[in-house]
């Protein structure tokens, strides 16, 4: 299977050209209502198409949350397929936020769903959970390499509950989150200009100086906006790795819909704030 240029290289170019902003596509019921849309497939389609129309030609990354489409069954998944295809056609990279994680043939099937070049839901990268052991992700790692896609592995997440797993200390004295970062650094070793295997690291976590975030890969950073982090926090949280951070903003942009111009303006303001925070650090 002939693949694309590696995700890391494509992401680095998109971040350099468009800025690092990632806009989430999170059509949950309350946002649909705020937009004056019904909580049904027609509302879902209108919402998703509007977000793609507004920003897919100007932001580096769009990140649809699969669950908000899956809840409508096969018709919702069809809308997700359409959104992914239209976003990629407009030049955005698509990170599918599905947080898949399993073992053996099941993990391989999840990987085929999102990372095979001929899959209806083929995305540039996929979020995955390593908490059945990092080695359980091997089928996804292999297919991502083959297809030119990437992974974002949950490492240090922004939800408070994550700490009970991610901060657990292993017999070697290193905690689980740090172990995931070390695995990713090994995956990305020698890759230029950027590896394709990233970590999810919350922008709300404060000082992370005790962690080695230099994984030669991207750091997907949720938590800006509704969860309390701001672009100005990025240099403090990520330190020298801030240049590889992909900050995710969802509600901070989406609440300005359904007006396309208002969505574009909100995304532009977020992108400018992020660019200023990162370049002035």
């Amino acid at each position: 299977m002939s693949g694309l240029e590696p995700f890391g290289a494509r992401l680095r170019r998109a971040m350099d050209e468009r800025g690092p902003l990632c806009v989430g596509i999170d059509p949950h019921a309350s946002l649909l209502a705020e937009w004056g849309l019904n909580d049904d497939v027609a509302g879902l389609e209108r919402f998703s198409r509007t977000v793609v129309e507004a920003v897919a030609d100007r932001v580096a990354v769009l990140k649809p949350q699969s669950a908000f489409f899956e809840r409508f069954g096969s018709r919702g998944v069809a809308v997700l397929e359409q959104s992914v295809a239209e976003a990629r056609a407009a030049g955005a990279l698509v990170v599918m936020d599905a947080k898949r994680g399993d073992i053996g043939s099941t993990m391989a099937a999840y990987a085929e769903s999102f990372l095979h070049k001929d899959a209806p839901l083929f995305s540039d990268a996929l979020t995955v959970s390593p908490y059945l052991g990092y080695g359980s992700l091997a089928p996804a790692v292999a297919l991502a390499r083959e297809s030119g896609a990437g992974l974002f592995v949950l490492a240090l997440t922004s939800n408070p509950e994550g700490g009970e797993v991610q901060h657990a200390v292993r017999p070697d004295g290193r905690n689980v989150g740090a172990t995931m970062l070390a695995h990713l650094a090994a995956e990305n070793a020698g890759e230029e200009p950027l590896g394709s295997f990233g970590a999810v690291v919350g922008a709300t976590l404060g000082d992370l100086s005790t962690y080695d975030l230099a994984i030669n890969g991207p750091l997907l950073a949720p938590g800006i906006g509704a969860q309390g982090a701001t672009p100005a926090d990025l240099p403090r949280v990520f330190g020298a790795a801030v240049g590889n951070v992909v900050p995710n903003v969802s509600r901070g942009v989406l609440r300005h819909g359904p007006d396309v111009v208002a969505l574009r303006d909100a995304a532009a303001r977020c992108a400018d704030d992020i660019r200023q925070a990162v370049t002035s650090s």
Side-chain angles (χ1 to χ4, degrees), residues 7 11 95 125-128 150-154 198-200 218-220 246:
F7 171 68
L11 178 62
V95 174
L126 172 68
T127 61
V128 292
L151 299 176
F152 283 99
V153 176
L154 303 180
V200 178
L219 302 168
L220 182 62
V246 183

Side-chain angles (χ1 to χ4, degrees), residues 69-175:
F69 296 82
E70 292 176 38
R71 69 192 183 99
F72 292 104
S74 61
R75 294 174 65 200
V77 173
V79 174
L80 181 58
E81 291 176 6
Q82 170 187 291
S83 299
V84 170
E86 291 177 355
R88 297 188 74 240
L93 298 176
V94 171
V95 174
M96 181 62 69
D97 195 355
K99 299 183 179 70
R100 297 302 197 248
D102 216 304
I103 61 171
S105 59
T106 310
M107 188 67 236
Y110 280 139
E112 291 277 338
S113 299
F114 298 102
L115 301 174
H116 190 286
K117 70 177 182 66
D118 296 325
L121 283 170
F122 174 74
S123 303
D124 298 285
L126 172 68
T127 61
V128 292
S129 174
Y131 295 111
L132 289 170
Y134 184 85
S136 67
L137 301 179
V141 171
L143 187 55
R145 288 192 186 281
E146 188 176 350
S147 63
L151 299 176
F152 283 99
V153 176
L154 303 180
L156 296 166
T157 57
S158 57
N159 63 307
E161 305 87 349
E164 68 184 47
V165 174
Q166 296 156 21
H167 298 164
V169 178
R170 293 160 34 97
D172 64 4
R174 185 165 59 184
N175 72 21

Side-chain angles (χ1 to χ4, degrees), residues 171-212:
D172 64 4
R174 185 165 59 184
N175 72 21
V176 173
T179 299
M180 297 307 157
L181 293 170
H183 282 303
L184 292 166
E187 298 286 3
N188 293 322
E191 295 294 328
E192 294 182 359
L194 189 67
S196 297
F197 299 94
V200 178
V201 178
T204 56
L205 296 179
D207 184 4
L208 293 177
S209 59
T210 59
Y211 289 91
D212 186 359

